[in-house]
Amino acid sequence: MGINLGNVFPNFKCSTTEGEMDFYNYIEGSWAILFSHPADYTPVCTTELGHAASNYHEFEKRGVKLMGLSVDPVDSHNGWIKDIQAICTMPNAGKFPFPLAAGSRKLVSDLGMLDPDEVDGSGMPLTARCVFIIGPDKRLKLSLLYPATTGRNFKEIYRVIDSLQLTASKKVATPANWESGEKCMVVPSLSDEQAKQLFPKGFETTPVPSQKSYIRYTPDPSV
């Protein structure tokens, strides 16, 4: 089934490594990321969870809550966490910084999280590497879908969070390969006069053969 950008992300209840949880209650008022992994005790997933745990401060400073998800049970998650902690540098080795949820097959199927090309020993499709970024309004802002064999690039996840949070509050878009603090683009819906009022640092228009003035750069308004 899956979920489309802009849709309200569905609520669900599940068992997690931090007890029974209602997803909406957990993320209330915050940006959030729900990300799935194919299976516990698998090598690529271990490096991903290790990176997210070791660098949890990157999510905290952006006001983002994390929840991991697979169809493995909580007891398996809790055992696996010890392996994750053993291969990464965590500031609080005694406590994993975010919950891992034990999702049902119906939930991961409804969210479009299954990878038909990767199956478990019983022939059932594994959970793909999904990244769902959800805004404070509980709507889906961005989704990334990786196959089970390809680990995620967390630098890109930080980058898109920065872009999403900036463009949610400012009338700008971010160009290819943009990084926080770099020049942004004035959205086409603004006239030049409106842009002058909104961006006191000004903007510059890039000349193009069409002579249309739609490529306009302005300093990052959050800086």
Side-chain angles (χ1 to χ4, degrees), residues 1-136:
M1 293 173 60
I3 178 172
N4 295 322
L5 291 180
N7 286 357
V8 174
F9 200 86
N11 191 26
F12 60 90
K13 295 181 180 180
C14 60
S15 299
T16 81
T17 50
E18 296 182 13
E20 296 297 315
M21 281 193 173
D22 177 289
F23 187 62
Y24 275 12
N25 288 343
Y26 174 63
I27 68 172
E28 185 63 39
S30 297
W31 286 80
I33 294 180
L34 177 69
F35 65 104
S36 58
H37 55 273
D40 295 354
Y41 301 104
T42 51
V44 176
C45 300
T46 304
T47 63
E48 290 186 319
L49 271 290
H51 180 95
S54 297
N55 295 276
Y56 191 64
H57 60 280
E58 292 290 348
F59 297 101
E60 284 185 310
K61 74 182 184 183
R62 292 169 170 87
V64 178
K65 291 185 176 180
L66 296 184
M67 179 182 283
L69 172 73
S70 80
V71 295
D72 295 296
V74 170
D75 285 348
S76 176
H77 289 344
N78 281 325
W80 183 38
I81 281 174
K82 295 175 183 177
D83 287 359
I84 298 169
Q85 290 173 320
I87 69 156
C88 68
T89 304
M90 290 176 55
N92 298 306
K95 185 180 186 312
F96 203 71
F98 56 90
L100 301 184
S104 67
R105 281 211 168 264
K106 182 180 186 308
L107 174 63
V108 298
S109 178
D110 287 348
L111 293 176
M113 288 178 153
L114 294 177
D115 183 351
D117 291 331
E118 296 290 331
V119 297
D120 62 18
S122 65
M124 295 294 289
L126 293 173
T127 312
R129 300 184 194 284
C130 296
V131 179
F132 293 130
I133 301 182
I134 302 149

Side-chain angles (χ1 to χ4, degrees), residues 33 35-36 44-45 47-52 55 58-59 62 66 129-133 142-162 177-179:
I33 294 180
F35 65 104
S36 58
V44 176
C45 300
T47 63
E48 290 186 319
L49 271 290
H51 180 95
N55 295 276
E58 292 290 348
F59 297 101
R62 292 169 170 87
L66 296 184
R129 300 184 194 284
C130 296
V131 179
F132 293 130
I133 301 182
L142 182 142
S143 63
L144 297 168
L145 179 60
Y146 297 77
T149 51
T150 302
R152 285 166 275 225
N153 184 328
F154 279 85
K155 289 182 180 180
E156 172 63 3
I157 293 174
Y158 305 145
R159 191 188 77 85
V160 296
I161 293 170
D162 290 340
N177 302 318
W178 175 87
E179 299 282 350

Side-chain angles (χ1 to χ4, degrees), residues 170-172 185-187 190 194-203 218-219 221:
K170 306 294 182 182
K171 295 289 187 180
V172 293
M185 305 186 86
V186 179
V187 295
L190 289 181
Q194 291 171 320
K196 288 175 184 177
Q197 294 176 9
L198 281 177
F199 305 114
K201 294 180 182 178
F203 62 91
T218 189

